[in-house]
């Protein structure tokens, strides 16, 4: 029992000493800072080049070029190389821009009234109408128009100073519907050895109705007067993978969240990451618009990434940023400041890291700084972590040794009895050597006196006058104690 108590005590002390520093740096929850640096503004433009073959009058070729912006929204970087997840509507123009170009060039060249839209029209003049209808079919052999369409998508990162040109991306995979997720990859590698900040993706969407979330995105192109926007929302009931999306609902019914988020989607927040309040990871993307903002789940996002053979991963910037962010949210501002400085060395334009560094420097050493409070409660000279670990190990070993000794403990041994005197040697014959070499044991002192027997002594038998040992007739020295024999 004593052995088990000692072992348990040593283990408990070791665990307490080792676990204490870890608990002080538990990852915080309810934040959007992990995702905000990876949010980008997306702007998509369709470029149309059209050549009208005019055969009505004098043969003539008329060339025109049109740039048609068709989408603006928010995307999320999921790989340090700049790969973005967004919505199909932000990467693929749902309208047929060739029809728009045909209407536009016909109206300009032939001076007729045709709306500049994406619908096919007819003209009262039969000859012009025939040529117009043939222009709507640029792929046919009799087409009167030759059309070339390209899509230009630009991602503007969340950096300061703002990037005027951003970086170009192209869509490599997208679902069939406008609100399905899409994967966009950079046309050229992102400059910098460590790449860009990324957002962590959650494993699943919270099941509980009313779960709090945050939506982070851009309502305009990033700049000195346009920062990323964060809105609070709550998950409603329903929504399945591949369905129409999961609705939002305020559990206190103070705000009509579908209307609020639908309006923000129309202003540029469409495609923005929905961030879980538990660990700050992305649980979905904002879809819809008008009066009905919804969310598609993270499983649909990871499925399109897998189909595109893109692996979402975190980079060196994210590792450094998350470590500094943990210290910041646990109010260790003195320790957080160098971490944010390291992040800015890796990625100088990180807006969120720069803002948090400014706050950390302002609060460093102040009354809120937990690092200062801990230092003031300790004696001079900060104690590093390794002595605590070493002490825990020593205590654990000592407890084990004590238990072992208790287990090995025995009752005292009986006192060893003194040896009895050696029996007298048989008489030697007359030719025997009368000198006897005796090697006395060092562990014995003096042999105890033999008990006297009350019998008449035999004059022929002699005894040693020193120890009482019986002697033989030829002995000149006692065989036990070596005392000379008196003759």
């Amino acid at each position: 029992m004593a052995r088990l108590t000692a072992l348990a005590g040593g283990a408990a002390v070791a665990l307490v000493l080792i676990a204490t520093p870890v608990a002080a740096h538990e990852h915080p929850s309810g934040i959007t800072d992990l995702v905000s640096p990876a949010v980008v503004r997306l702007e998509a433009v369709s470029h149309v080049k059209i050549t009208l073959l005019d055969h009505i009058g004098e043969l003539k070729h008329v060339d025109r070029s049109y740039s048609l912006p068709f989408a603006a929204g928010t995307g999320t970087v999921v790989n340090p190389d700049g790969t973005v997840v967004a919505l199909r509507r932000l990467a693929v123009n749902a309208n047929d821009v060739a029809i728009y170009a045909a209407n536009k060039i016909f109206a300009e060249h032939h001076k007729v009234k045709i709306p500049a839209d994406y619908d096919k029209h007819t003209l009262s003049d039969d000859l012009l109408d025939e040529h117009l209808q043939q222009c709507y079919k640029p792929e046919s052999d009799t087409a009167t128009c030759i059309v070339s369409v390209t899509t230009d998508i630009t991602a503007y990162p969340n950096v300061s100073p703002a990037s005027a040109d951003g970086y170009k991306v192209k869509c490599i995979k997208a679902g069939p519907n406008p609100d399905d997720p899409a994967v966009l990859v950079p046309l050229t590698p992102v400059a910098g050895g460590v790449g860009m900040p990324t957002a962590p993706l959650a494993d699943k969407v919270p099941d509980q109705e009313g779960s709090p979330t945050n939506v982070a995105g851009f309502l305009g192109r990033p700049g000195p007067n346009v920062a990323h926007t964060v809105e609070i929302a709550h998950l409603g009931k329903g929504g399945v993978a591949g369905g129409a999306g999961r609705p939002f609902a305020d559990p206190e019914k103070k705000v009509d969240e579908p209307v609020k988020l639908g309006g923000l989607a129309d202003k540029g927040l469409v495609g923005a990451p929905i961030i879980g309040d538990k660990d700050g990871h992305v649980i979905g993307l904002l879809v819809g618009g008008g009066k009905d903002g919804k969310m598609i789940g993270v499983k649909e996002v990871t499925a399109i990434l897998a189909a595109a053979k893109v692996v979402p991963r975190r980079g060196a910037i994210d590792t450094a940023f998350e470590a500094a962010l943990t210290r910041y949210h646990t109010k260790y501002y003195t320790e957080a400041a160098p971490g944010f400085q390291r992040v800015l060395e890796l990625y100088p334009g990180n807006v969120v890291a720069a803002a948090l560094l400014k706050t950390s420097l302002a609060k460093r050493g102040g009354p809120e700084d937990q690092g200062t409070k801990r230092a003031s409660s300790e004696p001079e000279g900060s104690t590093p972590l390794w002595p605590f670990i070493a002490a825990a190990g020593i205590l654990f070993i000592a407890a084990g040794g004590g238990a072992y000794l208790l287990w090995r403990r025995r009752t005292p041994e009986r006192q060893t009895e003194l040896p009895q005197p050696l029996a007298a040697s048989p008489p030697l014959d007359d030719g025997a050597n009368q000198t006897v070499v005796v090697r006395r044991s060092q562990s014995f002192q003096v042999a105890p006196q033999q008990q006297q027997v009350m019998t008449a002594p035999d004059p022929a038998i002699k005894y040693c006058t020193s120890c009482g040992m019986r002697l033989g007739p030829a002995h000149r020295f006692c065989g036990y104690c070596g005392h000379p024999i008196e003759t």
Side-chain angles (χ1 to χ4, degrees), residues 425 428 433-439 474-480 482:
S425 302
L428 299 176
N433 191 348
Q434 296 180 0
T435 303
V436 179
V437 179
V438 179
R439 181 173 297 170
H475 285 171
R476 295 294 178 266
F477 296 90
C478 177
Y480 186 80

Side-chain angles (χ1 to χ4, degrees), residues 48-69:
V48 186
K49 291 184 178 180
I50 185 169
T51 300
L52 174 62
L53 306 177
D54 184 8
H55 299 288
I56 295 178
E58 183 179 353
L59 182 60
K60 198 173 184 179
H61 290 182
V62 181
D63 297 323
R64 293 285 189 277
S65 294
Y66 305 105
S67 294
L68 307 173

Side-chain angles (χ1 to χ4, degrees), residues 387-398:
F388 294 98
I389 300 177
I394 292 172
L395 288 174
F396 190 87
I397 294 173

Side-chain angles (χ1 to χ4, degrees), residues 205-213 233-236 246 248-249 251 277 283:
V205 177
D207 296 327
Q208 184 178 359
E209 182 180 356
S211 296
T213 65
H234 302 82
L235 295 181
R246 185 164 177 176
F248 293 98
D277 188 69
I283 62 172

Side-chain angles (χ1 to χ4, degrees), residues 86-248:
L87 301 180
R88 177 186 175 91
R89 67 160 77 177
L90 299 177
V92 179
N93 197 336
N95 298 312
D96 191 345
V97 295
I99 295 177
Y100 175 92
N103 292 335
K104 189 78 172 175
I105 197 171
F106 242 79
E108 293 175 353
H109 178 64
H110 292 290
K111 309 300 181 185
V112 293
K113 292 183 178 180
I114 302 177
D117 55 20
Y118 298 94
D119 297 327
K120 294 180 180 180
H121 300 278
T122 59
L123 298 174
S124 57
D125 187 309
D126 294 338
L127 184 58
L128 285 177
D129 184 64
E130 180 182 356
H131 280 254
L132 177 61
Q133 300 308 317
Q134 292 299 324
C135 190
Y136 288 148
K137 304 175 182 178
E139 71 282 353
S140 66
D141 296 337
T142 59
T144 56
C145 292
I146 301 173
V147 181
S148 173
V149 180
T150 58
T151 301
D152 186 11
I153 309 172
T154 306
Y156 295 92
N158 190 9
V159 294
S160 179
S163 174
D165 300 325
Y167 66 98
K168 303 297 182 182
V169 294
K170 66 177 180 179
C171 181
I172 61 171
K173 196 73 176 179
N177 302 311
D179 280 340
D180 286 341
V183 180
L184 290 72
V185 298
L187 294 180
T188 57
V190 175
V194 294
M196 297 180 62
T198 68
L201 301 180
D203 296 327
K204 63 177 183 177
V205 177
D207 296 327
Q208 184 178 359
E209 182 180 356
S211 296
T213 65
N214 295 275
V215 186
F218 283 102
L219 300 180
R221 186 179 298 183
N225 300 320
V226 180
H228 65 273
T229 299
V230 177
E231 287 290 336
I232 298 174
H234 302 82
L235 295 181
K237 185 178 179 180
V240 295
R246 185 164 177 176
F248 293 98

Side-chain angles (χ1 to χ4, degrees), residues 419-426 436 438 446-452 460-473 475-486:
Q420 299 296 325
L422 297 175
S425 302
V436 179
V438 179
V446 179
Q449 295 289 337
Q450 286 187 339
Q451 187 176 3
Q452 298 295 327
I461 300 175
K462 296 182 179 181
Y463 295 91
C464 177
T465 59
S466 176
C467 66
M469 181 64 67
R470 182 178 178 179
L471 302 175
H475 285 171
R476 295 294 178 266
F477 296 90
C478 177
Y480 186 80
C481 66
H483 187 77
I485 305 302
E486 298 179 357

